[in-house]
């Protein structure tokens, strides 16, 4: 348990709990995380729900919880010793802009840095798609220190018409 996080507006958490906790995920958290995706159909197509169920046991996750509810999560996959990819990041929409996403990303990057990771990738929808909801998503990653280094279109595995913005953040110098 990483402890309670400092929320910009604690009242927004509502009647469930006044405390949001960020901790590493366990196998029991997967359906709570899928429920977060299911609440964001403008960002996550239905096929991502099973993809998350499949990839969850192979990754390392962090969840934000209020009471027993998962209100946000990050999933990270490691393929190489010194790098990692954030494959999912999502917060329940009634809790956006309250610091939950930042707390999750900070916790995951801190954990990865302690584990020897020096560079972290995240893929999101490129600006050239002209899809307004992802303006805020790209701003979120840029404000958290991620830098765009490429746009790949089409990206294998992504549905056509979804140019992929490749972002990276360094956690330590690589040379
Ligand atoms: C992206 C996401 C995880 C962020 O979670 P969150 O809890 O809202 O994040 P935070 O509250 O910690 O931070 C949001 C930041 O984005 C900024 N932001 C929000 N909307 C913005 C906009 N339209 N333009 C510019 N900045 C914006 C906020 O000002 C804030 O930055 P600040 O901390 O410097 O003030 C969440 O919004 C989400 O689930 N989005 C939909 C799914 C998604 O896009 N996932 C990522 C896929 S790659």
């Amino acid at each position: 348990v990483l402890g309670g996080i400092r929320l910009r507006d604690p009242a927004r958490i509502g009647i469930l709990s006044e405390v949001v906790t960020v901790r590493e995920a366990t196998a029991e958290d997967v359906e709570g995380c899928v429920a977060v995706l299911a609440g964001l159909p403008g960002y996550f197509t239905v096929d991502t729900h099973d993809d998350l169920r499949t990839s969850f046991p192979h990754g390392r996750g962090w969840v934000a919880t209020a009471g027993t509810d998962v209100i946000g999560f990050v999933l990270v996959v490691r393929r190489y010793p010194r790098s990692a990819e954030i494959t999912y990041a999502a917060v329940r929409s009634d809790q956006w802009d309250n610091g939950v996403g930042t707390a999750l990303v900070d916790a995951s990057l801190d954990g990865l840095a302690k584990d020897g990771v020096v560079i972290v990738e995240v893929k999101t929808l490129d600006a050239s798609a002209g899809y307004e909801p992802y303006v805020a998503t790209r701003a979120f990653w840029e404000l958290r220190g991620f830098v765009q280094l490429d746009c790949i279109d089409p990206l294998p595995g992504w549905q056509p018409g979804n140019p992929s913005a490749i972002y990276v953040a360094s956690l330590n110098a690589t040379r």
Side-chain angles (χ1 to χ4, degrees), residues 55-68:
S55 58
F56 203 83
H58 306 291
R60 185 174 171 191
W62 283 261
V63 290
T65 58
T68 55

Side-chain angles (χ1 to χ4, degrees), residues 8 12 36-37 40 42-44 71-74 86-93 95-105 122-125 132-141 143-144 158:
R8 286 173 204 153
R12 289 246 310 277
V36 174
L37 297 189
L40 298 168
Y43 293 84
F44 299 99
I71 62 165
F73 76 100
V74 161
I86 295 177
T87 53
Y88 285 94
V91 171
R92 226 169 62 185
S93 60
Q95 301 298 337
W96 284 358
D97 293 336
N98 206 8
V100 176
T102 298
L104 283 163
V105 169
V122 68
K123 300 180 184 117
T124 192
L125 190 65
E132 198 279 333
Y134 275 88
V135 172
T137 298
R138 289 188 301 274
F140 172 77
W141 291 119
L143 289 162
R144 306 284 77 86
W158 281 34

Side-chain angles (χ1 to χ4, degrees), residues 3 13-14 21 24 30 36 41 57 71 80 85 93 105 121 128 130 147-149 151 157 164 167:
I13 293 302
T21 300
E24 282 213 49
V30 64
V36 174
I71 62 165
Y80 305 99
E85 178 181 355
S93 60
V105 169
E121 175 187 32
S128 62
V147 176
Q148 184 168 3
L149 57 76
C151 168
S164 176
Y167 278 87

